[in-house]
Amino acid sequence: MSVTEMFSYIQGFLSADQDVREDIRKVVQVLEQTAREILTVLQSVHQPSGFKEIPNKCTKARELFCTVRTHIADLKTKFPVEQYYRFHEHWRFVLQRLAFLAAFVVYLETETLVTREEVAQILDIQVVREKGFHLDVEDYLAGVLIMASELVSLLYIAMVLK
């Protein structure tokens, strides 16, 4: 193999890799937009009349999670399953945000802490790494930690309103 052929091969590989990353970025951008929509719906619980609206807001958020599941299904098709961690950095933040939003919805509905399995079910992803696109423990825990600060804010609003 000549030097030119080697560089052509490497250039082809890098171009293909860049195409995959760009496809992933496009889907992640849509996921981020949907996560912002869910957050906007749920942020209204911090308004004075927000506590009365919790069931309606949770229903609306759950409807938006259907859109999330569709986009995650699309994301799963953009890369080989065995390369999950190679591209994980692209969706790590949005997955943590979605874990937080799922945890917050479940808390608002039931006043209980969501499990990793419940979050995975809401997002229609796996818990076990070997089964494919999955929710890492770290991403789940980051979502729960974000929820903790959100609950502090909710508590403060509740105390002010009393």
Side-chain angles (χ1 to χ4, degrees):
M1 183 181 269
S2 72
V3 172
T4 305
E5 289 172 330
M6 261 196 314
F7 279 113
S8 292
Y9 173 77
I10 292 170
Q11 181 60 39
F13 175 78
L14 292 174
S15 293
D17 185 66
Q18 184 61 34
D19 291 344
V20 169
R21 290 180 188 280
E22 188 59 35
D23 288 345
I24 291 170
R25 266 189 222 106
K26 288 176 185 175
V27 177
V28 168
Q29 285 176 338
V30 176
L31 275 170
E32 288 170 342
Q33 176 60 37
T34 307
R36 283 191 295 272
E37 290 174 25
I38 296 170
L39 182 61
T40 301
V41 167
L42 294 177
Q43 286 295 312
S44 64
V45 301
H46 295 293
Q47 302 301 319
S49 64
F51 286 103
K52 296 173 191 158
E53 298 287 321
I54 286 176
N56 295 336
K57 300 303 178 182
C58 290
T59 300
K60 177 66 176 162
R62 286 209 180 254
E63 290 170 6
L64 288 168
F65 273 114
C66 291
T67 305
V68 166
R69 287 190 288 276
T70 302
H71 295 306
I72 288 176
D74 186 28
L75 180 61
K76 292 175 188 178
T77 67
K78 302 297 181 191
F79 62 94
V81 152
E82 64 276 2
Q83 295 183 5
Y84 177 89
Y85 285 106
R86 179 177 179 195
F87 300 108
H88 180 249
E89 284 301 311
H90 291 285
W91 60 77
R92 181 177 58 91
F93 176 74
V94 73
L95 202 56
Q96 290 172 358
R97 175 62 58 102
L98 290 167
F100 148 64
L101 293 168
F104 195 41
V105 167
V106 169
Y107 181 82
L108 290 173
E109 291 172 337
T110 65
E111 295 184 3
T112 60
L113 181 62
V114 71
T115 65
R116 181 174 164 220
E117 289 77 12
E118 288 173 304
V119 172
Q121 182 180 18
I122 290 169
L123 300 178
D124 195 25
I125 58 179
Q126 301 297 318
V127 175
V128 179
R129 174 181 165 182
E130 289 76 21
K131 290 187 177 181
F133 196 96
H134 61 283
L135 179 62
D136 282 330
V137 172
E138 294 86 0
D139 294 338
Y140 161 72
L141 291 174
V144 171
L145 288 173
I146 296 168
M147 186 187 72
S149 66
E150 191 71 22
L151 291 178
V152 169
S153 176
L154 191 63
L155 174 66
Y156 179 76
I157 297 296
M159 297 306 289
V160 168
L161 292 175
K162 281 194 174 191

